[in-house]
Amino acid sequence: MPELPEVETVVNGIRSHVTNKTIQSVWTSGFRLRCSNQDDLSEQLMGSCITGVSRRAKYIALHLSSNIDTVIHLGMSGKLLIEGNNYQSKKHDHVVITLSDNSKLVFNDARRFGMFFWHDDIHQYLKHYGVEPLSDSFNTAYLSLICQNKQISIKQLIMDQKYVVGVGNIYACEALFKSQILPTKAARHLSEAELTLLVSWVKKILIAAIHKGGTTLKDYRTANDTLGYFQQKLSVYGREGEPCYECGGWIQNKKMSSRSTFYCKECQQ
């Protein structure tokens, strides 16, 4: 499933192509996505100008001049693509928006686990979500506060959307490795120095992934339908049984909350 860097890459990829353009028409496949289809989707979107594009957690928002947001979630296999004026709808296309320059914004989702709907305010819709990890609000003091008295593992905590959004399994494993923190360590047992390191590495890992276009796993593609390249930079994720780049020991894999958790038991004491 695309995580924060992949979604941010898509946002950056489509922003210049859609901003300040008017929605001329909206085609929908009629197939149900993760949530029920809105009968008035076309009516609400048509004629509005896209004034901006942003990301909140793993959601994409097209901000419209009509003071509503088009909210998009890529789900497991969703792609949001920019196409030319001669584009013909393909299999698994579920929404095709034609813009004022006749270009198309296409939402394609083979597994139909994504979402595409309008809402009055994406921030209100996601008000129960935690802080953005790339914001100033995600800092040592905040992480220390939410770790207090938490017996759950630090990996589970930084992946919990009600505390921090968008730190998926890949990036949690990578940040914990760089911070030399064992993923299974109880959150309440982390020192201030460890928390400071973790905050720093979460930010560094996510920024590096965004610069590389995200991590290509399974179905993920960028807005230009190309692959992400951060996977080439992974230190531990997906490397079970391979030597650690730092110490030469073997990368381990442990199931935590049904997620594969990769780590080096020598480096992450």
Side-chain angles (χ1 to χ4, degrees):
M1 178 182 290
E3 301 291 348
L4 185 153
E6 290 77 39
V7 178
E8 185 72 15
T9 298
V10 172
V11 168
N12 293 339
I14 69 171
R15 181 178 283 119
S16 63
H17 294 282
V18 303
T19 303
N20 296 325
K21 294 178 182 178
T22 300
I23 297 174
Q24 301 284 65
S25 65
V26 180
W27 174 90
T28 59
S29 67
F31 288 102
R32 189 182 189 278
L33 299 175
R34 192 197 311 182
C35 56
S36 300
N37 299 333
Q38 293 172 315
D39 293 336
D40 62 347
L41 181 66
S42 297
E43 178 186 343
Q44 290 287 343
L45 270 54
M46 280 177 56
S48 293
C49 178
I50 300 173
T51 59
V53 185
S54 67
R55 176 195 57 76
R56 172 68 172 126
K58 302 175 190 177
Y59 290 79
I60 298 168
L62 307 179
H63 306 291
L64 305 183
S65 58
S66 53
N67 292 322
I68 64 171
D69 294 325
T70 301
V71 182
I72 304 159
H73 193 288
L74 299 178
M76 295 294 293
S77 61
K79 296 184 288 185
L80 198 58
L81 306 170
I82 300 294
E83 301 289 352
N85 59 351
N86 295 321
Y87 180 77
Q88 299 295 316
S89 182
K90 297 177 181 177
K91 186 178 182 180
H92 305 310
D93 284 352
H94 294 291
V95 183
V96 178
I97 292 177
T98 301
L99 300 171
S100 47
D101 62 352
N102 290 320
S103 64
K104 317 281 186 183
L105 179 64
V106 180
F107 180 67
N108 181 288
D109 187 1
R111 301 189 191 182
R112 295 194 318 212
F113 198 63
M115 304 168 73
F116 200 110
F117 62 98
W118 70 268
H119 194 274
D120 290 334
D121 183 355
I122 187 174
H123 295 289
Q124 178 65 21
Y125 178 72
L126 300 175
K127 64 181 180 180
H128 57 291
Y129 273 42
V131 303
E132 290 283 341
L134 295 179
S135 70
D136 292 339
S137 297
F138 183 61
N139 52 41
T140 303
Y142 174 76
L143 193 54
S144 178
L145 179 65
I146 63 174
C147 282
Q148 284 182 6
N149 304 317
K150 296 290 194 310
Q151 187 59 39
I152 62 171
S153 73
I154 185 59
K155 180 172 183 274
Q156 290 172 291
L157 185 139
I158 63 172
M159 288 183 62
D160 192 324
Q161 299 290 297
K162 70 174 176 282
Y163 299 125
V164 189
V165 299
V167 183
N169 196 32
I170 297 171
Y171 305 108
C173 289
E174 293 295 305
L176 287 165
F177 171 75
K178 290 293 189 180
S179 305
Q180 299 185 330
I181 298 170
L182 196 65
T184 55
K185 188 171 184 176
R188 66 189 180 94
H189 289 155
L190 267 71
S191 67
E192 183 174 342
E194 288 176 314
L195 294 172
T196 299
L197 263 180
L198 184 55
V199 167
S200 176
W201 275 111
V202 166
K203 292 177 185 285
K204 288 177 182 177
I205 292 289
L206 292 175
I207 291 169
I210 291 168
H211 288 164
K212 291 290 183 180
T215 303
T216 298
L217 293 174
K218 298 183 180 178
D219 302 307
Y220 169 67
R221 294 294 187 274
T222 68
N224 295 318
D225 207 19
T226 57
L227 304 178
Y229 293 102
F230 188 69
Q231 189 173 11
Q232 299 172 9
K233 299 291 185 181
L234 298 179
S235 297
V236 290
Y237 189 89
R239 300 188 61 243
E240 180 183 5
E242 296 180 26
C244 173
Y245 294 139
E246 298 295 330
C247 73
W250 304 112
I251 300 301
Q252 310 289 313
N253 180 11
K254 177 184 177 65
K255 287 286 185 181
M256 295 179 63
S257 301
S258 302
R259 298 291 191 97
S260 292
T261 301
F262 299 90
Y263 64 99
C264 173
K265 65 178 181 180
E266 302 299 327
C267 293
Q268 297 167 263
Q269 292 292 332

